[in-house]
Amino acid sequence: MACRSGPIAFGHPGTGGGPAGRSESFVWRFILHEMPLSHSRSHLLQQKAEAVFPGGVNSPVRAFRSVGGEPPFVARAEGAYLYDEDGNRYLDYFGSWGPMILGHAFPSAVEAIREAAGRSSSYGASTAAEQNLATLVQRCFPSVEKMRFVSSGTEACMSAIRVARGFTGRNFIIKFEGCYHGHSDALLVKAGSGIATLGIPGSAGVPAETVMHTLALPYNDLEAVKAAFEARPGEIACIILEPVVGNAGTIAPAPGYLEGLREITRKDGALLIIDEVMTGFRVTLGGAQRLYGIDPDLTTLGKIVGGGLPCGAFGGRAEIMNCLAPLGPVYQAGTLSGNPLAMAAGIATLEHLIRNEEAIYAQIDRTTQQIADGVAAIARERGVPLTTNRVGSMFTWFFTANPVYDYDTAAASDTVAFGRFHRAMLDRGVWLPASQFEAAFVSTAHTQQDVDFTLEAARSALA
Ligand SMILES: Cc1ncc(COP(=O)(O)O)c(C=O)c1O
């Protein structure tokens, strides 16, 4: 039976424990089995949304098509919890798809946004805040000598590709199957995220001529990359990759893989673009490039850099970035680039992360390990085939007994079983990312009680 997770006066994690005289497990049983969730307002809103938005959504994976059921409509969020329009509360494991590393409505970010908004939400002119955020970014990513702020990860990756092509004077680019770098035409080839979720090979509306220079290769396969460079010496502008894949579910790079890509690109004069939109400030404060000791030519950022507001950035070696207008011939621009609200939220978020780096990353790593491994152990007890991939506070439970190291092995998972698990967890007040091909995220707001609650929910869901 479906169940209700909030607004509960007792027992739910974060509300301060169970009612007097009753064990926590009694409370969980009560919460997990005996209080049906109502979704009547969400259902009504979904019907209205379908009249105005294709699929009822403004971004495809939100529609729950691959997991089934209707998505709850969110009314507000705080810390680790989302609250829907029907008053239900959910433990949030997708964190706005990555940005909310400090939890929702983090007080100093909220205050900074409020304060900035009072001085106007946009100027279209330079501000000191842009420099302040840039300085913080450089502290975390020393490889970024110069950068540009944009309004999304899509823009960051699209612009990085353009500047790589402009700098090298080459056309071909290499990306990897299952990696997602936003929805710009050239990068929508064998992409992850919604493209993988909906099982479409690419996107209609992208002319073949637009992607004829995009080479999509299997992830974690250095030989395929070597072969591509041997076939086109001096023609490949860049490799772009997710250093830890999140958009095919979580997949770590094999030992030596990133180093191999660095060596091959250097030898050929191609650029290495590390897309840290998801991993930046997430797997370490300095992203995956710090975790694996890789020095890219260009880096793309998004999500956390804007503290949950629309913001992205791309940057790297100064001689490459100096190709951008007005210094050079590569054009790139944006009305809302460096938006003051996004800068304020980004500064508040990064300042907190920098100040508390050691404690924060140790905490979210530990919490994520408990959750990821805890559910894996329950699945083992229940005989459910599950492969758990985790890097820091990103993780995925793949419904397969086999190792997952690239898109094909991820796609061999039982997505129907994932959908059932997703619905069962949602019914129990735990909101996982609505696709097998997305990473789950943990924030500093997730507590030990939340871990225990999640494991209890999984025990019941996997039954
Ligand atoms: C690795 C990566 N790159 C780029 C993007 C695109 O970012 P945005 O959705 O902000 O356009 C995403 C989005 O999920 C991503 O995960």
Side-chain angles (χ1 to χ4, degrees):
M1 187 199 287
C3 64
R4 187 177 188 84
S5 64
I8 308 163
F10 58 86
H12 191 279
T15 58
R22 289 185 175 164
S23 73
E24 289 217 327
S25 86
F26 168 86
V27 176
W28 276 322
R29 274 205 302 281
F30 181 74
I31 293 164
L32 293 172
H33 302 293
E34 294 174 28
M35 298 179 70
L37 283 179
S38 158
H39 286 120
S40 53
R41 259 191 71 71
S42 281
H43 177 65
L44 209 69
L45 286 163
Q46 177 66 21
Q47 286 179 326
K48 285 187 182 167
E50 282 174 18
V52 284
F53 307 121
V57 289
N58 285 299
S59 197
V61 181
R62 294 180 198 172
F64 275 35
R65 287 290 152 94
S66 74
V67 291
E70 282 188 348
F73 272 62
V74 176
R76 69 184 184 89
E78 194 179 338
Y81 304 110
L82 295 164
Y83 298 83
D84 74 11
E85 289 280 352
D86 292 282
N88 304 305
R89 183 167 72 170
Y90 306 90
L91 243 182
D92 177 9
Y93 282 112
F94 65 105
S96 184
W97 308 98
M100 311 316 291
I101 192 167
L102 300 177
H104 292 277
F106 190 69
S108 68
V110 172
E111 192 44 45
I113 295 166
R114 213 173 256 140
E115 214 248 315
R119 285 181 272 123
S120 178
S121 55
S122 183
Y123 313 114
S126 297
T127 64
E130 292 164 284
Q131 286 176 39
N132 295 341
L133 184 56
T135 306
L136 297 174
V137 168
Q138 282 177 325
R139 229 167 114 177
C140 305
F141 288 84
S143 70
V144 177
E145 293 170 1
K146 279 197 171 181
M147 74 194 82
R148 276 267 165 90
F149 287 117
V150 289
S151 299
S152 67
T154 295
E155 259 188 277
C157 296
M158 177 187 82
S159 308
I161 295 288
R162 188 178 302 151
V163 76
R165 283 174 161 158
F167 177 76
T168 58
R170 303 173 178 185
N171 287 334
F172 282 96
I173 62 172
I174 288 178
K175 77 172 289 288
F176 297 102
E177 294 165 5
C179 286
Y180 179 69
H181 306 289
H183 63 95
S184 69
D185 285 357
L187 292 167
L188 270 189
V189 181
K190 296 196 175 170
S193 190
I195 292 272
T197 302
L198 299 173
I200 47 182
S203 172
V206 177
E209 294 79 5
T210 313
V211 291
M212 65 187 257
H213 291 114
T214 303
L215 308 172
L217 304 179
Y219 191 81
N220 267 335
D221 182 350
L222 263 189
E223 292 309 312
V225 178
K226 279 184 197 156
F229 274 88
E230 274 161 24
R232 300 182 191 283
E235 287 187 76
I236 296 168
C238 63
I239 290 177
I240 184 167
L241 86 157
E242 290 184 67
V244 174
V245 184
N247 288 292
T250 305
I251 300 173
Y257 179 61
L258 298 176
E259 292 85 342
L261 296 179
R262 180 64 284 187
E263 195 184 316
I264 293 168
T265 43
R266 257 203 194 118
K267 215 185 302 159
D268 187 81
L271 303 187
L272 181 63
I273 306 175
I274 297 201
D275 178 354
E276 301 246 28
V277 168
M278 191 179 278
T279 51
F281 316 101
R282 165 66 64 184
V283 295
T284 73
L285 184 62
Q289 54 195 269
R290 189 204 281 179
L291 184 63
Y292 297 107
I294 302 297
D295 187 28
D297 299 295
L298 292 172
T299 297
T300 57
L301 297 168
K303 302 190 191 271
I304 293 173
V305 77
L309 268 74
C311 183
F314 67 103
R317 277 164 48 204
E319 61 167 333
I320 302 170
M321 293 301 286
N322 285 343
C323 290
L324 287 166
L327 293 184
V330 178
Y331 196 72
Q332 178 276 332
T335 302
L336 293 175
S337 294
N339 174 265
L341 304 195
M343 298 298 102
I347 290 166
T349 302
L350 296 199
E351 275 181 346
H352 187 81
L353 289 174
I354 290 169
R355 224 179 295 121
N356 303 284
E357 179 184 356
E358 218 170 295
I360 283 178
Y361 290 92
Q363 181 202 331
I364 55 178
D365 191 81
R366 195 171 51 244
T367 310
T368 314
Q369 183 181 15
Q370 287 179 344
I371 294 161
D373 293 354
V375 170
I378 294 165
R380 256 194 316 278
E381 279 165 26
R382 298 265 191 268
V384 176
L386 201 72
T387 289
T388 304
N389 282 4
R390 177 180 81 86
V391 178
S393 57
M394 306 170 47
F395 71 98
T396 301
W397 293 303
F398 291 99
F399 280 76
T400 171
N402 301 317
V404 174
Y405 51 84
D406 63 7
Y407 177 67
D408 284 348
T409 48
S413 305
D414 183 346
T415 53
V416 175
F418 176 84
R420 271 203 306 274
F421 182 61
H422 184 275
R423 287 195 301 281
M425 291 296 273
L426 195 72
D427 279 349
R428 287 157 179 79
V430 178
W431 191 335
L432 300 171
S435 166
Q436 178 71 99
F437 307 114
E438 298 283 356
F441 301 102
V442 169
S443 77
T444 54
H446 288 81
T447 63
Q448 184 62 49
Q449 273 189 306
D450 294 330
V451 174
D452 297 342
F453 182 81
T454 306
L455 298 186
E456 194 66 26
R459 198 164 279 125
S460 151
L462 288 170

